[in-house]
């Protein structure tokens, strides 16, 4: 098996993984009738101590949906300068959610709480976008 860590999309599935995919129990996920998705969502919900979880087939879909849920148009989110949501995803944050990004100069993509705190706009200063995420 070739492992290439430049991206999760480069590594190819092994024959065991392909076999598991081909023999997976499937159903209509919209009607919650896909046993594999249901089992995955239940497992992840338990893992994070939540009532439920929702499976997204791509990272971009999950990121864009999460941003949409947690913001309103005109808001601002804080992220590291290397964040995927800022550098990639087709600029989807501005199109899908109407938000801007305030960049933090983290260490290899990791931000400190103090950096995030310093990047939050004053909530009572209406000239600045509202920091909401
Ligand atoms: C941090 C991060 N977010 C999102 C994505 C996008 O994931 P996808 O290609 O499944 O849309 C990637 C892809 O490599 C990623 O590294």
């Amino acid at each position: 098996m070739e492992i290439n860590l430049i991206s999760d999309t480069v590594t190819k599935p092994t024959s065991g993984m392909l076999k598991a995919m081909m023999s997976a129990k499937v159903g209509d996920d919209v009607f919650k009738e896909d046993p594999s998705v249901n089992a995955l969502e239940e497992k992840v919900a338990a893992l994070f101590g939540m009532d439920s979880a929702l499976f997204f087939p791509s990272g971009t879909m999950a990121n864009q949906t999460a941003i949409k849920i947690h913001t309103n148009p005109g808001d601002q989110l804080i992220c590291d300068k290397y964040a995927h949501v800022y550098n990639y995803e087709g600029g989807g944050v501005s199109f899908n959610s109407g938000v801007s990004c305030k960049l933090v100069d983290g260490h290899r993509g990791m931000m400190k709480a103090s950096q995030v705190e310093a990047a939050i706009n004053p909530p009572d200063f209406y000239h600045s976008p509202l920091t909401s995420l």
Side-chain angles (χ1 to χ4, degrees), residues 7-8 58-60 63 84 89:
S7 172
D8 53 346
S58 86
T60 300
N63 285 345
H84 202 274
E89 304 187 21

Side-chain angles (χ1 to χ4, degrees), residues 34-116:
D34 187 311
S36 300
V37 171
N38 290 348
L40 177 65
E41 289 179 345
E42 281 164 28
K43 185 175 182 169
V44 172
L47 201 61
F48 288 93
M50 305 300 281
D51 294 334
S52 58
L54 186 61
F55 168 68
F56 285 86
S58 86
T60 300
M61 288 171 73
N63 285 345
Q64 294 297 313
T65 305
I67 292 164
K68 183 74 180 171
I69 287 169
H70 291 288
T71 61
N72 287 304
D75 286 358
Q76 191 166 67
L77 64 82
I78 297 168
C79 62
D80 182 86
K81 64 183 183 297
Y82 295 130
H84 202 274
V85 297
Y86 175 71
N87 291 291
Y88 308 106
E89 304 187 21
V93 291
S94 57
F95 180 81
N96 294 321
S97 300
V99 301
S100 57
C101 299
K102 187 182 246 184
L103 303 181
V104 168
D105 189 17
H107 175 65
R108 300 177 70 192
M110 291 175 282
M111 303 180 287
K112 290 184 180 147
S114 56
Q115 291 179 298
V116 175

